[in-house]
Amino acid sequence: MEPGGARISQLRRGVLEFCVLSLLSHEELYGFELVRRLSEVDGMVTTEGTIYPLLSRLRRDGWVTSSWVESESGPPRRYYALSAEGKSALASFTEEWVRFRDAVDALMLEERS
Amino acid sequence: MSGTAVDELVEDYLTRLDRLAAGLPADRRRDLMEGIGEHISSARAGGAVDVDGVRAVLRRLGAPEEIVAAAAGDEPLSATRPTTATSPWGGLEVSAVVVLTAGGFLVPGLTALGGLVLAVSSPRWRGWEKSVAGVLCLSPLALLALFYVFEGSVPGLGGGNGLLHLIYVGSSLCAVAAGLFLGLRLRARTGEAGGAAR
């Protein structure tokens, strides 16, 4: 693992759940599709299987709901959707994230120059 | 032919995952198995049909160890809190009560001291509760010490001294009483914790 790898993955894990919420705020998705979308973003997911425990927790926390939908190709799929609580959690994270990101950027760019 | 090889590959993976997930609460284990199972079916329905394709899907999912570790570690709220919040009974507390109550009949005096040490080192009992248990456990021993001072010897069981037997029996009963007292106090507190949670 690269230097600081454990910390980077910790940071990623903390933010990942909000990326899941963000994807679900646009449309309902089933697990495989959701994982594929996340994996398309470079550096977002290293182990796809770990998304499922995350989804399970988001469901138990009430931020995400799920329902079974029949599929033409293969077994029924569990579709995930954002709940009202999930929506407001995402909104407050987004606000905090923008401030935090700008602050970190400003500090690091200042250090460099 | 390749169909069965692919099935075997998937089956092996899911079996390993399921075995490793045995430590998770039942509902989370089921959730995990359902999620991963559905993921693999979707990938196969979407074109991963040969051995190489399925291998790639499994590699991207990650080692079962990693997934289960994430499932076990991903519970900052529900994993550790309920056991400590709803029940004040830990190994230390159970041992203290058992040693005081049951042990009192086996080796009077010694077990009373041992049980008392266990009870005092537990953070679950309040100071005054420990004091009550302490007085109960130590007063018969103090009486024995008085004997030593006045008789000049540690009294043995074979002495046939009526008063002495009384102290031994009393010591056992006091230890049992201390054990019951501590046990009942913790039981009362379990009720309180449940009441506060509601």
Side-chain angles (χ1 to χ4, degrees), chain A residues 13 17 30-32 35-36 39 46-50 52-54 56-57 59-61 68 73-78 80, chain B residues 27-28 31-32 34-36 38-39 41-43 45 57 60-63 66-67 70-71 73-78:
Chain A
R13 229 182 70 181
E17 59 188 280
Y30 68 102
F32 182 70
V35 169
R36 216 175 50 187
S39 298
T46 49
T47 312
E48 292 181 348
T50 58
Y52 289 96
L54 175 65
S56 166
R57 178 164 62 78
R59 223 151 43 85
R60 281 197 306 281
D61 288 349
W68 290 98
S73 62
R77 294 162 171 172
R78 196 199 272 279
Y80 296 88
Chain B
D27 57 328
R28 277 161 51 193
D31 246 24
L32 180 68
E34 258 174 29
I36 300 287
E38 191 200 310
H39 181 100
S41 312
S42 300
V57 169
R60 291 181 63 163
L61 274 173
E66 249 180 295
I67 299 174
D74 197 36
E75 300 297 322
L77 294 174
S78 44

Side-chain angles (χ1 to χ4, degrees), chain A residues 1 5 9 16 34 43 52 65 71 85 92 96 99 102 104:
Chain A
M1 197 176 262
S9 76
L16 186 59
L34 180 71
Y52 289 96
T65 58
S71 120
E85 287 99 321
S92 55
E96 202 56 48
R99 271 176 55 203
D102 290 349
V104 172

Side-chain angles (χ1 to χ4, degrees), chain B residues 117-188:
Chain B
V117 169
L118 287 173
V120 167
S121 50
S122 161
R124 304 279 160 75
W125 281 297
R126 307 201 171 111
W128 72 271
E129 291 165 351
K130 291 175 184 174
S131 306
V132 170
V135 169
L136 279 171
C137 291
L138 295 179
S139 48
L141 297 179
L143 270 179
L144 273 185
L146 280 179
F147 246 89
Y148 181 72
V149 170
F150 288 112
E151 304 276 329
S153 69
V154 178
L157 275 171
N161 189 326
L163 186 59
L164 211 66
H165 270 120
L166 203 65
I167 291 178
Y168 270 118
V169 173
S171 153
S172 305
L173 289 180
C174 284
V176 171
L180 285 178
F181 169 73
L182 290 176
L184 288 175
R185 290 301 305 165
L186 268 202
R187 231 189 106 188

Side-chain angles (χ1 to χ4, degrees), chain B residues 46-121:
Chain B
V49 286
D50 59 355
V51 171
D52 286 344
V54 169
R55 263 210 192 107
V57 169
L58 300 183
R59 199 173 38 241
R60 291 181 63 163
L61 274 173
E65 288 80 4
E66 249 180 295
I67 299 174
V68 171
D74 197 36
E75 300 297 322
L77 294 174
S78 44
T80 50
R81 250 210 249 144
T83 47
T84 53
T86 54
S87 171
W89 290 96
L92 193 60
E93 288 69 37
V94 172
S95 333
V97 170
V98 168
V99 166
L100 284 174
T101 50
F105 291 105
L106 301 175
V107 195
L110 208 60
T111 48
L113 274 183
L116 186 61
V117 169
L118 287 173
V120 167
S121 50

